[in-house]
Amino acid sequence: MEALRAEISYISVVEVLHFLSINKKTGKIKIKSRYEGEIYVEEGKFTHAIFNDLEGIDALFELSLLKEGYLTFEPNVLPPKKTMGGEPVKLFEEFDRRSKEIREIENKLPPLDAVLLKSENASFEKLKLRKSDWKILSLIDGKKKLRDVIFESQIGLFEAYKSVSFLIEKGLIFDPEEEKRRTKKIIQIFNEFINEYSKDSVELKKSCTSFIKTALKSSGFKELEENIDFDEKNGEIFLKKESIIGKESFKNIKEVILPLFEKKFILDFGTILGKKKFENFKRRIETLHEGI
């Protein structure tokens, strides 16, 4: 009999595990998503987990990373066997460490809706590919979305992310839409700046646009400066014609423009409020998917 049912997008697996642990519950958590698995807890301690071909701690960590689907908890169900033990507090510390690590990897990956391609001139001779790398590589066919590649690999989210990141870094696979997304990201950064600076004032947004154009021109990015304009109706900066921003140019633009944005916030709003506004702006652009 189910004592708990929760949407993972609303309440994370880790939050449920923490609740069951501190209340010393016993039972089985069943997780259903594109992935499925089970976690057993006895008097607040996690004693068994299964996920695809994984068992024990590795399975538990993989299940803790899921972001969609739902879970149920059935009390007083004992595990068929015990594959782990130890104090829960150490497990939660490891959850936190792995969660940070996977977020860092995730921010470097293309969006999960991206369709990746194999590089035609890729060289495998000097690379040592792991079994998980070959598995991911075999599923890249120019048709499947990245989320489907990860799901079909059946190697778990953590390992799949690491393999995709490695294969992209070594030039074995690539995202053909990367340059377009990079350009879109720059425009999003500009619009986040003017929104934080001016809120609903169209005149202030126009003023911010002029500031951005001047900053770009004086920093040597004249081509981009000439290609951006302000749409009064939507209150946003836009590109007048399609443009491609290279990876190095993207990095250079960010390195130049962000300190200028911070200086303007502080100069116009004062040190305390200006820094607060800049931090708000930075938090928002950090949530934009990198994948570049």
Side-chain angles (χ1 to χ4, degrees), residues 43-204:
E43 296 183 355
K45 293 185 177 181
F46 308 110
T47 54
H48 178 56
I50 183 168
F51 166 74
N52 292 333
D53 295 330
L54 299 175
E55 287 189 340
I57 290 176
D58 288 336
L60 182 65
F61 286 143
E62 284 293 337
L63 290 168
S64 74
L65 297 172
L66 295 179
K67 297 179 180 179
E68 57 185 25
Y70 67 91
L71 61 79
T72 58
F73 176 67
E74 187 177 351
N76 303 319
V77 178
L78 297 176
K81 59 181 177 179
K82 296 187 179 184
T83 53
M84 57 184 169
E87 290 302 317
V89 64
K90 292 183 178 181
L91 288 176
F92 287 113
E93 289 174 357
E94 184 65 10
F95 285 150
D96 187 55
R97 187 191 69 78
R98 287 205 182 192
S99 180
K100 288 178 181 176
E101 185 176 350
I102 201 167
R103 280 199 301 271
E104 289 175 2
I105 298 173
E106 188 177 31
N107 284 337
K108 298 176 183 177
L109 297 181
L112 293 178
D113 284 335
V115 177
L116 307 188
L117 301 176
K118 292 177 184 174
S119 302
E120 293 182 2
N121 301 318
S123 174
F124 298 84
E125 295 178 4
K126 297 181 180 180
L127 294 176
K128 292 183 179 180
L129 299 185
R130 302 171 303 160
K131 185 178 178 181
S132 58
D133 300 330
W134 284 111
K135 185 67 176 177
I136 292 293
L137 196 59
S138 70
L139 291 168
I140 300 293
D141 60 2
K143 298 177 182 178
K144 294 186 180 75
K145 293 181 179 180
L146 180 55
R147 63 162 39 87
D148 296 322
V149 169
I150 290 171
F151 173 69
E152 291 180 25
S153 72
Q154 295 293 299
I155 60 176
L157 194 63
F158 190 67
E159 283 301 315
Y161 274 17
K162 287 199 297 184
S163 287
V164 173
S165 178
F166 172 78
L167 294 171
I168 290 176
E169 180 187 339
K170 299 303 180 183
L172 302 183
I173 61 177
F174 68 98
D175 175 14
E177 298 294 312
E178 177 182 348
E179 291 182 337
K180 289 182 181 178
R181 289 190 294 100
R182 191 184 293 125
T183 304
K184 183 180 178 182
K185 174 75 177 288
I186 282 292
I187 300 304
Q188 287 178 296
I189 288 174
F190 292 165
N191 281 316
E192 287 293 349
F193 166 69
I194 67 173
N195 285 333
E196 180 61 37
Y197 185 96
S198 57
K199 299 304 180 185
D200 297 324
S201 171
V202 175
E203 290 306 313
L204 283 178

Side-chain angles (χ1 to χ4, degrees), residues 215-237:
L216 288 172
K217 186 176 181 178
S218 63
S219 302
F221 303 106
K222 185 178 178 182
E223 185 177 341
L224 179 59
E225 179 268 326
E226 292 176 343
N227 194 26
I228 64 172
D229 207 345
F230 180 71
D231 183 344
E232 287 191 37
K233 184 178 179 181
N234 295 318
E236 293 183 343
I237 284 177

